Amino acid sequence: MAVEKYSRQRESIRKNLAGRRDHPTADMVYLDIRKEFPNISLGTVYRNLSLLAQLGEIQKISVSDGPDRFDGRTKPHDHFFCKECGCVLDFQLTDTDNRLQRQAGKGFEGRIDGQTVQFFGVCPDCLKKQTGKVHVSNENYIL
Amino acid sequence: MAVEKYSRQRESIRKNLAGRRDHPTADMVYLDIRKEFPNISLGTVYRNLSLLAQLGEIQKISVSDGPDRFDGRTKPHDHFFCKECGCVLDFQLTDTDNRLQRQAGKGFEGRIDGQTVQFFGVCPDCLKKQTGKVHVSNENYIL
DNA sequence: GTTTTTGCAAAGTATTTGCAAATGG
DNA sequence: CCATTTGCAAATACTTTGCAAAAAC
């Protein structure tokens, strides 16, 4: 695979991911793209998701209990995994990146290129269903 | 699955994981246990790894490029993934846990139960092969 | 004796791949 | 035209599961 050539399908996949925040699986993307390209195959979706991830234009997120999920956000950020509904939310931790990397790298003779924090718990919606509490906005959680 | 009953196979799996630091896959554990129980099946290994992970006695680590890996360490810690050789190393970030969780939870109306940091880069051994540099010990990296 | 666990094999998911036809440049 | 991408289907990789026999208690 030498030079990348344009393809309508890949462009559609790229836009689809850029326009959503729900960290879909390959299959979810496939179902969506089929509305525009009824004949697209799941294999093509997988191929393009892999390619885009390699190019750093999207991010692949592996979770322990289901298929991989994909994230259209390019800039580094963190993720929250809800153990109730399985949803994945974005977090942006302010200013901790350098601190973390500096602390971890101190005396480590390998090279650290990047890092992400994975949070686990119960998302606002699921917690609300359990307790009846109200959901308010906050500064780290990115809608 | 009401009460847990002892089994020699499960005990062997538990001990195997406790005695190694290389974050093996289910198959690697299987090959090892077979030395002691030549008839053990891969299914049994998977069943017990799942069970032990549920009980919190081991940890399951999902990586984006290969099968799941397992970690016998019970207390919370972080992981480093080498993009060259695929190895997984343990990190113990001193005292950042509370800071991270506090910062992320500020104003977040869900519940955060825990978190781990994933580092990506090149491990000491691979870097050494590339540059010829020497490997020294450090304070965060756990041998 | 009753319940849990095992080994085996088959099934289930998720993802990748080979290949001829279609598309892009 | 030549290189890349596609759709399709088959193949692969990983993990789970049904069931009768064995082990644990």
Side-chain angles (χ1 to χ4, degrees):
Chain A
M1 195 179 289
V3 188
E4 187 186 342
K5 207 172 262 194
Y6 170 89
S7 99
R8 289 169 293 153
Q9 288 91 331
R10 175 158 53 238
E11 208 44 39
S12 178
I13 291 170
R14 195 199 314 270
K15 277 186 187 148
N16 183 275
L17 272 178
R20 63 197 296 180
R21 286 284 163 78
D22 60 344
H23 309 82
T25 62
D27 201 63
M28 291 160 76
V29 173
Y30 166 65
L31 291 174
D32 233 26
I33 302 292
R34 268 211 334 199
K35 296 172 189 160
E36 189 182 351
F37 298 94
N39 292 322
I40 197 174
S41 75
L42 189 52
T44 297
V45 173
Y46 270 108
R47 261 188 298 237
N48 280 305
L49 288 172
S50 288
L51 179 58
L52 292 172
Q54 268 184 0
L55 298 174
E57 302 189 30
I58 65 172
Q59 210 188 322
K60 181 160 108 172
I61 308 168
S62 291
V63 290
S64 54
D65 56 342
D68 289 345
R69 316 193 61 149
F70 296 88
D71 189 333
R73 294 199 149 224
T74 51
K75 83 171 176 182
H77 62 279
D78 307 295
H79 289 120
F80 172 90
F81 300 87
C82 178
K83 62 180 67 164
E84 293 295 329
C85 68
C87 75
V88 180
L89 305 177
D90 289 321
F91 270 77
Q92 185 74 54
L93 292 189
T94 51
D95 199 28
T96 44
D97 288 16
N98 288 336
R99 172 189 299 276
L100 275 182
Q101 195 156 337
R102 239 186 305 122
Q103 204 203 341
K106 210 189 301 174
F108 176 61
E109 284 298 307
R111 192 184 73 216
I112 297 177
D113 295 327
Q115 91 282 141
T116 69
V117 185
Q118 296 191 330
F119 295 95
F120 302 94
V122 183
C123 75
D125 282 355
C126 286
L127 200 60
K128 190 165 44 173
K129 278 173 199 153
Q130 288 174 9
T131 65
K133 269 186 78 175
V134 191
H135 170 32
V136 301
S137 69
N138 78 73
E139 45 197 299
N140 296 305
Y141 168 52
I142 307 164
L143 275 182
Chain B
M1 196 177 290
V3 188
E4 188 187 339
K5 209 171 261 194
Y6 170 89
S7 99
R8 289 169 292 155
Q9 288 90 335
R10 177 158 52 237
E11 209 43 42
S12 178
I13 292 170
R14 195 200 314 272
K15 277 187 188 149
N16 184 273
L17 273 178
R20 62 197 294 179
R21 286 284 162 78
D22 60 344
H23 309 84
T25 63
D27 201 63
M28 289 159 79
V29 174
Y30 167 65
L31 291 174
D32 234 26
I33 303 293
R34 269 213 332 201
K35 296 172 190 159
E36 189 181 351
F37 297 93
N39 293 322
I40 197 172
S41 76
L42 189 52
T44 295
V45 173
Y46 270 108
R47 261 188 298 238
N48 281 305
L49 289 172
S50 289
L51 179 59
L52 292 172
Q54 267 183 1
L55 299 175
E57 302 189 30
I58 66 171
Q59 210 188 321
K60 181 160 108 170
I61 308 168
S62 291
V63 291
S64 54
D65 56 341
D68 290 344
R69 316 192 61 148
F70 296 87
D71 189 333
R73 291 200 151 224
T74 53
K75 81 173 178 181
H77 61 279
D78 308 295
H79 290 119
F80 173 90
F81 300 88
C82 178
K83 60 181 66 164
E84 294 294 329
C85 68
C87 74
V88 180
L89 305 178
D90 289 321
F91 271 77
Q92 185 76 53
L93 291 189
T94 51
D95 199 27
T96 43
D97 289 15
N98 288 334
R99 171 188 299 278
L100 275 181
Q101 196 157 334
R102 240 185 305 122
Q103 204 201 343
K106 210 189 302 174
F108 177 59
E109 282 300 306
R111 191 184 74 219
I112 298 177
D113 295 327
Q115 91 280 138
T116 69
V117 185
Q118 296 191 330
F119 295 96
F120 303 94
V122 182
C123 75
D125 282 354
C126 287
L127 199 61
K128 192 165 45 174
K129 279 174 196 152
Q130 289 174 9
T131 66
K133 268 186 80 177
V134 190
H135 171 30
V136 299
S137 70
N138 80 74
E139 44 197 302
N140 296 306
Y141 168 52
I142 308 165
L143 274 183

